[in-house]
Amino acid sequence: MEKVYTASVLAKGGRDGHIKSSDGQIEFDLRKPKEMGGQGGATNPEQLFAAAWGPCYLGALGSIAKHDGVDVSEATVNVHVSFNKDGNSFVLSADLDVHIPGISQQEAQQLADKAHRACPYSKATKGNIETRVTAL
């Protein structure tokens, strides 16, 4: 494996904390959502995970679709990352709702599934969190 790029982000304070990337492009406070007993009013780890997974997934979709000769330049993915209680512990789950205009729902589902198998974020979560990918 050859490293191509490494992102570095310093986090402090946990869910009610602060993050800053080494290049200064990302810097902001985090707050636990109201639904989890926090004050809300700032982003949280689940939003950040969803925000990162979406563009990565669309990149994989673009590569797969180009190989198949399909234009996905107008495709979108709505990534939902949920924080769930599972007995005495907590787990994440995810739903990726994929919209690819101009093709049938069946063709879109096939491309969406291929992209899910190719996306680095999807690979990282495979077998670790329950994930549903649905072409709309």
Side-chain angles (χ1 to χ4, degrees):
M1 180 167 58
E2 175 188 345
K3 284 186 186 176
V4 176
Y5 169 75
T6 300
S8 180
V9 176
L10 177 67
K12 61 182 178 178
R15 288 186 168 274
D16 288 313
H18 189 83
I19 60 172
K20 182 178 181 180
S21 63
S22 59
D23 64 3
Q25 292 297 308
I26 296 173
E27 182 173 12
F28 44 83
D29 292 330
L30 302 171
R31 294 290 174 261
K32 187 184 298 183
K34 290 180 180 181
E35 296 85 348
M36 293 172 60
Q39 70 183 29
T43 195
N44 59 67
E46 290 71 35
Q47 289 175 328
L48 293 171
F49 190 31
W53 196 345
C56 185
Y57 177 86
L58 287 176
L61 179 65
S63 294
I64 295 295
K66 183 177 182 180
H67 181 266
D68 290 356
V70 178
D71 178 15
V72 294
S73 58
E74 297 298 317
T76 60
V77 62
N78 194 357
V79 180
H80 309 271
V81 173
S82 299
F83 186 89
N84 309 288
K85 187 166 177 131
D86 184 22
N88 292 328
S89 65
F90 298 98
V91 297
L92 298 177
S93 64
D95 295 298
L96 281 69
D97 295 331
V98 184
H99 176 65
I100 307 171
I103 62 174
S104 73
Q105 192 277 332
Q106 182 179 4
E107 291 171 306
Q109 187 66 55
Q110 289 172 345
L111 281 176
D113 290 338
K114 285 182 185 179
H116 184 54
R117 289 191 295 273
C119 171
Y121 276 75
S122 296
K123 287 179 183 180
T125 61
K126 184 178 180 181
N128 296 312
I129 71 171
E130 183 179 311
T131 304
R132 178 190 55 80
V133 178
T134 305
L136 305 175

